Amino acid sequence: MSSLFNLPEIKNPPVVIRASDVSKRFVIRKDKSLKERIVNFGRSRRHKEDFWALRDIKLEIKAGSSIGLVGANGSGKSTLLKVIGGIIQPNDGVVERRGRLAALLELGAGFHPDLTGRENVFLNGSILGLTQKQTAEYFDSIVEFSEIGDFIDTQVKFYSSGMYVRLAFAIAVHVDPDILLVDEVLSVGDEPFQDKCMAKIREFQAEGRTIVFVSHSAAQVEDLCNRVIVLSHGQIIFDGATDEGIVALRESFGK
Amino acid sequence: MSSTAQERSDRLSTLPFQTSSSSDESAIGGFWASIRELLAHRELLDLLIRRELKARYKDSSLGFLWSLIKPLTLLLIYYVAIGQFLGAARGIPDFAIFVFAGLTIWGLYSEIVSAGTMSIVSNAGLIKKVYLPREIFPLAATGSALFNFAVQMSVLILATIVLGQFPVSWNLLYVPVAIAIVLIYGIAFAILLSALNVYLRDIQYLVEVAMLLLFWASPIVYAWSYVVNAVDVPSWLPNVFLLNPISNAVLAFQKGMWQAGSETRLIDGVSILPQPWPADLDLRLAIVAVVGLVLLIICQRVFQKLQGNFAQEI
């Protein structure tokens, strides 16, 4: 099975992500202004609503595996990814990890429109955890991967949206993570560039990096993952092989 | 290829687990852990400060000159309106140096606090998507404020040299002390208010009003002697005045940079006595600094507690 997915054989892979009893509650406030808060003071319970985005998530992910995190809209996939990445703190439980983690939750999140592509490469590289020296080393390779060419010294506000995400993706894949969290960002650019991204992801898999995808595309998950976790209303309803996972996902839509 | 994968896996199995996120705040680490994390990100801090400075005047032809034009315009306004028309310059020797010294140190404080307050909200895109020690954003605002301060400070020093009023005395030692106090309080409030502003956007407007009020509550365009000598002012008022840590810092800065304030000068035949600097200014500054450091630690702790929910509240 592994050969099909281009995943390498690893003896005794260690656990790299461990989530124990993680719960996340969002409080939805209906009154935002000070006036409303004062007027509704004391009765505020009625103007608050609890919403469990994650409930008692237990999870272990081993090195070198590629996990598809799927579920209907609002099932908690992105929240789980953010909790793993440390961007959101849970109300209960702990997530532990080891190794270098990079989160591709949004391409070009740190780009400043007024700075040039070159300046943004260094800034974004640093945000993703590269030192200045490393970024300088990878710089040519980043520009080559992004196919930006001479536009690298143009302010990024003049970039087309395709150029923007290509440059962002090029930086992200040069970060050298042990664990990569990916949220719906693989469908960027034109078809040739998408193929290039996929090839890069497969290269990552072959190098034994752990990848956690959030995706709505069953085909993509089938194509890339060797394990699927299906979430519904903040709970794990399925955890196992890819083809069965897709079936479980389809079933969960009905609920 | 599979050997690379095996090597990576073997290396990972030797690493200890680290906490990615936890419901238990104490697991995230205390004050010193935060400092260590910030030190590990100092390269990024440097880049963020540069970004802020570069982006600010990117498409303007005068560029950095703008950061000087504003304080110089303020100087002109206060010099003409308050110094000449209202006659403050008749009681304050070297009025221009006096006002510019006050404006310079006040500008540092007000820019740190107001830019710092906005810093988390204006970096929402990053905070939602990437994990970084979030204190880095108010600190980046502080860094760019310090740069503007350095520019103004050089103009001030240049002016004192050109006018032959460069203060060659031990009073000069008050200058770094004043800057340190402004930095401590500025950073403390920037950290605290930036976090509160995420939950209640009224804070940013409140800060604007508060800064306006505090500007006139500090002896910047009027001298300390006016407060002490004002008729009908109850004798306890100057003491209340000195409870404001920034007033102490402004006084210390003026004592350092404004030589005429410590000498007897003649203006239009009237001799102006030296400023009645608060007698225990040194002790006050020491106390203000210690209180400020405690405040800084408290503000950082509050920030740490609030920052867990930034990504969802912004």
Side-chain angles (χ1 to χ4, degrees), chain B residues 52 56 110-120 122 137-138 141 144:
Chain B
E52 217 136 295
R56 187 177 300 166
S110 92
E111 195 185 337
I112 292 175
V113 175
S114 25
T117 302
M118 298 293 296
S119 61
I120 297 287
S122 55
F137 299 108
S144 89

Side-chain angles (χ1 to χ4, degrees), chain A residues 4-204:
Chain A
L4 176 67
F5 294 106
N6 195 23
L7 290 179
E9 299 282 352
I10 298 175
K11 286 189 223 83
N12 312 318
V15 172
V16 286
I17 298 173
R18 186 164 63 195
S20 23
D21 302 316
V22 170
S23 296
K24 178 70 198 176
R25 186 186 64 225
F26 287 129
V27 180
I28 304 167
R29 275 189 174 282
K30 291 178 179 163
D31 43 358
K32 198 71 187 168
S33 79
L34 196 62
K35 188 185 94 186
E36 281 175 284
R37 282 189 196 187
I38 291 169
V39 170
N40 297 325
F41 191 76
R43 294 180 292 156
S44 63
R45 203 162 273 282
R46 239 189 300 156
H47 296 267
K48 268 193 210 168
E49 211 172 275
D50 280 357
F51 170 78
W52 290 91
L54 293 175
R55 202 117 205 211
D56 301 327
I57 300 286
K58 289 187 197 65
L59 191 61
E60 281 196 346
I61 294 175
K62 291 198 163 138
S65 53
S66 292
I67 315 271
L69 210 54
V70 295
N73 281 330
S75 57
K77 317 179 284 291
S78 298
T79 309
L80 180 54
L81 212 58
K82 285 180 180 174
V83 171
I84 294 174
I87 298 162
I88 288 183
Q89 304 296 327
N91 294 89
D92 266 315
V94 185
V95 180
E96 293 166 302
R97 62 148 200 270
R98 51 184 164 190
R100 182 164 177 168
L101 180 138
L104 283 189
L105 302 192
E106 188 179 286
L107 289 172
F111 276 12
H112 195 293
D114 286 333
L115 300 184
T116 66
R118 183 186 300 272
E119 289 163 339
N120 269 310
V121 168
F122 280 92
L123 181 61
N124 210 253
S126 185
I127 287 168
L128 294 173
L130 290 177
T131 64
Q132 293 298 87
K133 226 179 102 200
Q134 286 170 320
T135 314
E137 246 168 61
Y138 298 145
F139 188 78
D140 292 333
S141 154
I142 291 173
V143 177
E144 197 194 309
F145 190 93
S146 69
E147 301 165 19
I148 292 279
D150 292 339
F151 288 103
I152 193 69
D153 285 312
T154 308
Q155 294 180 12
V156 299
K157 64 182 171 189
F158 298 125
Y159 281 21
S160 72
S161 53
M163 289 160 80
Y164 193 88
V165 285
R166 277 191 341 241
L167 184 60
F169 192 85
I171 302 165
V173 295
H174 281 85
V175 174
D176 187 30
D178 294 312
I179 307 166
L180 185 67
L181 309 179
V182 185
D183 190 353
E184 303 263 22
V185 291
L186 290 182
S187 41
V188 299
D190 51 16
E191 213 173 309
F193 191 76
Q194 273 188 35
D195 292 345
K196 206 168 164 182
C197 294
M198 282 303 162
K200 193 72 192 179
I201 294 287
R202 286 184 201 285
E203 196 186 312
F204 268 20

Side-chain angles (χ1 to χ4, degrees), chain B residues 74-99 221-222 226 267-268:
Chain B
L74 278 177
L75 170 65
L76 188 73
I77 293 169
Y78 292 130
Y79 184 78
V80 174
I82 294 187
Q84 304 305 319
F85 296 165
L86 292 179
R90 282 193 291 277
I92 303 172
D94 288 340
F95 187 69
I97 292 177
F98 165 79
V99 168
V221 292
Y222 50 88
Y226 285 31
I267 300 179
D268 301 334

Side-chain angles (χ1 to χ4, degrees), chain A residues 10-11 14 24 83-84 86-87 89-91 93 95-98 106 112 119 126 132 157 178 207, chain B residues 6 8-9 11-12 15 18 20-23 43-44 47 54-55 58-59 129 131 134 309 312:
Chain A
I10 298 175
K11 286 189 223 83
K24 178 70 198 176
V83 171
I84 294 174
I87 298 162
Q89 304 296 327
N91 294 89
V95 180
E96 293 166 302
R97 62 148 200 270
R98 51 184 164 190
E106 188 179 286
H112 195 293
E119 289 163 339
S126 185
Q132 293 298 87
K157 64 182 171 189
D178 294 312
E207 288 162 357
Chain B
Q6 189 65 50
R8 183 184 301 276
S9 152
R11 176 173 59 81
L12 285 174
L15 292 176
Q18 56 187 120
S20 205
S21 59
S22 165
S23 55
E43 249 190 19
L44 176 59
L47 279 171
K54 265 189 201 162
K58 188 82 184 182
D59 288 325
K129 300 295 178 186
Y131 176 76
R134 272 90 181 231
N309 285 331
Q312 75 213 40

Side-chain angles (χ1 to χ4, degrees), chain B residues 133-187:
Chain B
R134 272 90 181 231
E135 289 95 334
I136 211 163
F137 299 108
L139 286 178
T142 306
S144 89
L146 263 176
F147 178 85
N148 286 336
F149 170 75
V151 174
Q152 276 189 52
M153 187 73 193
S154 8
V155 172
L156 177 63
I157 291 174
L158 202 71
T160 53
I161 293 172
V162 169
L163 297 174
Q165 296 297 325
F166 187 76
V168 193
S169 81
W170 287 111
N171 283 346
L172 212 50
L173 288 176
Y174 281 110
V175 173
V177 174
I179 296 173
I181 289 176
V182 163
L183 278 178
I184 293 170
Y185 281 88
I187 293 173

